[in-house]
Amino acid sequence: RRMSLALTASVYDRNGSYTDYPTPGDASVSQVRDYEPYFLLDGRLSWEKKGWKLYFDVMNMIDTRYFDFGGLEMPGVWFSGGIVVTIG
């Protein structure tokens, strides 16, 4: 009862395009690419007891390759965690 798991699934389909530079440091070669649709799956495992909450997050669980504004590639799987203390 003190442990919970939350999964969040999201589908994104952006309009527009970005300029891709396939060779890092060489701005003379570029391509205009449309944003592709992508799917993300995130999760949080948490445990709570008497004002204490410990949690562990996994973002982009399926390691989706996707791009943000200006063709900035976003990270693959990444992890974070923390502690929340409620006083009062």
Side-chain angles (χ1 to χ4, degrees):
R1 292 199 300 201
R2 295 185 175 146
M3 189 167 280
S4 65
L5 174 66
L7 296 174
T8 303
S10 306
V11 175
Y12 298 89
D13 189 4
R14 293 186 53 186
N15 291 323
S17 58
Y18 64 95
T19 304
D20 181 32
Y21 298 95
T23 308
D26 184 2
S28 66
V29 179
S30 65
Q31 303 171 358
V32 175
R33 296 183 179 260
D34 291 333
Y35 287 106
E36 297 289 329
Y38 59 92
F39 173 80
L40 294 178
L41 182 62
D42 304 327
R44 173 174 277 193
L45 180 64
S46 61
W47 176 82
E48 191 168 355
K49 182 178 180 180
K50 295 184 182 179
W52 289 82
K53 182 176 185 178
L54 303 172
Y55 65 90
F56 179 71
D57 293 339
V58 181
M59 310 302 284
N60 193 5
M61 292 171 74
I62 57 175
D63 199 22
T64 299
R65 184 171 185 232
Y66 67 104
F67 298 88
D68 200 0
F69 298 105
L72 176 65
E73 185 171 3
M74 300 306 288
V77 178
W78 56 286
F79 307 90
S80 65
I83 301 171
V84 177
V85 180
T86 304
I87 299 172

